[in-house]
Amino acid sequence: MIVVACSSNSGPTTTTTTVSPPSTNTETTPAPANRIGVDLVAGLPVEIYGPREPGDFPVVVMLHGGGWFGGSPASMEPLASSLASAGIVVFNSTYRTSVGGYPESFDDVACDIRFAVSTAPEFTTSTGPLTVVAHSAGAHIGSVVSLAGDLFGRDCDVGAEVVVDRFVGLAGPYDPTLYSAVLTGYFGTRLEEDSAPWEAGSPYSYLDDNPDLRMLLVHGTGDDLVPIRSSELLAEAAADAGIDVALEELPGATHMEARSPNLVTDLIAEFVTKP
């Protein structure tokens, strides 16, 4: 059984829905104890993790990686559960991948954030900062939306604004032009023929648009998929723009280990909760 959190004119309600197990095994894998809701945002699933009883908890919108064309929020479930155990409400979200690109994937992430802003009062009494925590390609998309403010997802059926106070990027490839050989279809044009969508899909284009954003960029020194220089360059540019930014190196950590709960839960929890 999955608990589905929803809201109505009379206030928040919960219903239970039976779903098929994800494999041919006859035993249904139980949901994590701190998964408190499942919902749909723009037709895409979002899992909500956190303490069972509402309290003064910070809010995180979490985004998975997957090389822009794949990936699943399931890859972030261990970290989402770990942060929930630390007293954080986590919206483990997704975005269009194989049928996405610019601007669709960015609009989806903005809708995820709007949903979290509007739904968070059901799970927390806090009116404090909202943080986006994202890995790999999700960190690229999440950084753009976090910096760009209310630019994306305006057609989302959730009326809340995109207000991101803090951003945590885990092993992000932040400069899409470095991946022009594989992202032509993603941006719908070759970089040398029309650079406009590439610029609109780059965090470097929005460094002056959300000056109050705090950023924490986390990267493993053993990452041979996305070099740590990616985070170093964004940190330098953000600092030059006056943004409060920190770079945290994970000695020897690989690309996938940058999302490991054992390595980053405490870092993220401290960043999310500090005044």
Side-chain angles (χ1 to χ4, degrees), residues 71-72 97 105 130 148 150 155 162 167 189 208 212 234 242 248 250:
S72 165
T97 53
S105 299
L130 181 141
D150 212 40
D155 293 333
V162 175
F167 171 77
T189 180
D208 296 324
D212 295 328
L234 182 60
E248 186 73 31
L250 302 177

Side-chain angles (χ1 to χ4, degrees), residues 139-140 142-144 147 167 169 172-175 202-207 213 215-217 228-241 243 245-247:
H140 160 238
S143 67
V144 171
L147 286 161
F167 171 77
Y174 299 108
D175 185 351
S202 169
Y204 289 92
S205 298
Y206 305 100
L207 290 175
L213 182 70
M215 301 179 72
L216 172 64
L217 305 181
I228 193 172
R229 188 61 179 152
S230 173
S231 290
E232 291 173 343
L233 288 171
L234 182 60
E236 292 168 5
D240 288 343
I243 293 175
V245 57
L247 174 64

Side-chain angles (χ1 to χ4, degrees), residues 262-275:
N262 293 336
L263 293 179
V264 300
T265 294
D266 290 345
L267 280 173
I268 296 171
E270 180 182 0
F271 178 73
V272 167
T273 57
K274 70 180 180 181

Side-chain angles (χ1 to χ4, degrees), residues 91-116:
F91 291 79
N92 188 22
S93 307
T94 189
Y95 48 91
R96 279 171 283 183
T97 53
S98 60
V99 293
Y102 177 85
E104 291 84 1
S105 299
F106 299 81
D107 288 332
D108 290 342
V109 167
C111 282
D112 292 332
I113 295 169
R114 294 177 195 275
F115 175 78

Side-chain angles (χ1 to χ4, degrees), residues 112-132:
D112 292 332
I113 295 169
R114 294 177 195 275
F115 175 78
V117 170
S118 64
T119 310
E122 297 181 18
F123 306 102
T124 177
T125 60
S126 174
T127 57
L130 181 141
T131 304
V132 170

Side-chain angles (χ1 to χ4, degrees), residues 2 28-30 43 132 134 146 171 182 220 239:
I2 287 182
T28 301
T29 302
V132 170
S146 296
V182 297

Side-chain angles (χ1 to χ4, degrees), residues 19-242:
V19 297
S20 301
S23 69
T24 56
N25 195 315
T26 57
E27 294 184 4
T28 301
T29 302
N34 50 19
R35 192 173 75 188
I36 55 178
V38 179
D39 216 319
L40 292 176
V41 179
L44 299 170
V46 56
E47 297 180 331
I48 306 163
Y49 291 77
R52 287 284 168 179
E53 297 298 326
D56 187 18
F57 308 123
V59 175
V60 159
V61 175
M62 183 168 285
L63 303 168
H64 61 85
W68 291 282
F69 298 102
S72 165
S75 66
M76 303 298 286
E77 287 178 357
L79 182 55
S81 180
S82 183
L83 290 175
S85 296
I88 298 170
V89 175
V90 180
F91 291 79
N92 188 22
S93 307
T94 189
Y95 48 91
R96 279 171 283 183
T97 53
S98 60
V99 293
Y102 177 85
E104 291 84 1
S105 299
F106 299 81
D107 288 332
D108 290 342
V109 167
C111 282
D112 292 332
I113 295 169
R114 294 177 195 275
F115 175 78
V117 170
S118 64
T119 310
E122 297 181 18
F123 306 102
T124 177
T125 60
S126 174
T127 57
L130 181 141
T131 304
V132 170
V133 176
H135 177 245
S136 193
H140 160 238
I141 301 169
S143 67
V144 171
V145 178
S146 296
L147 286 161
D150 212 40
L151 179 63
F152 294 97
R154 291 182 175 178
D155 293 333
C156 183
D157 59 4
V158 181
E161 293 184 358
V162 175
V163 180
V164 180
D165 303 287
R166 302 179 186 184
F167 171 77
V168 179
L170 307 174
Y174 299 108
D175 185 351
T177 65
L178 299 179
Y179 303 89
S180 59
V182 297
L183 291 181
T184 296
Y186 188 84
F187 284 104
T189 180
R190 296 176 64 86
L191 174 62
E192 59 270 23
E193 294 175 355
D194 181 7
S195 64
W198 296 79
E199 294 171 359
S202 169
Y204 289 92
S205 298
Y206 305 100
L207 290 175
D208 296 324
D209 292 3
N210 188 1
D212 295 328
L213 182 70
R214 295 186 186 179
M215 301 179 72
L216 172 64
L217 305 181
V218 181
H219 219 116
T221 62
D223 191 334
D224 57 4
L225 185 60
V226 178
I228 193 172
R229 188 61 179 152
S230 173
S231 290
E232 291 173 343
L233 288 171
L234 182 60
E236 292 168 5
D240 288 343

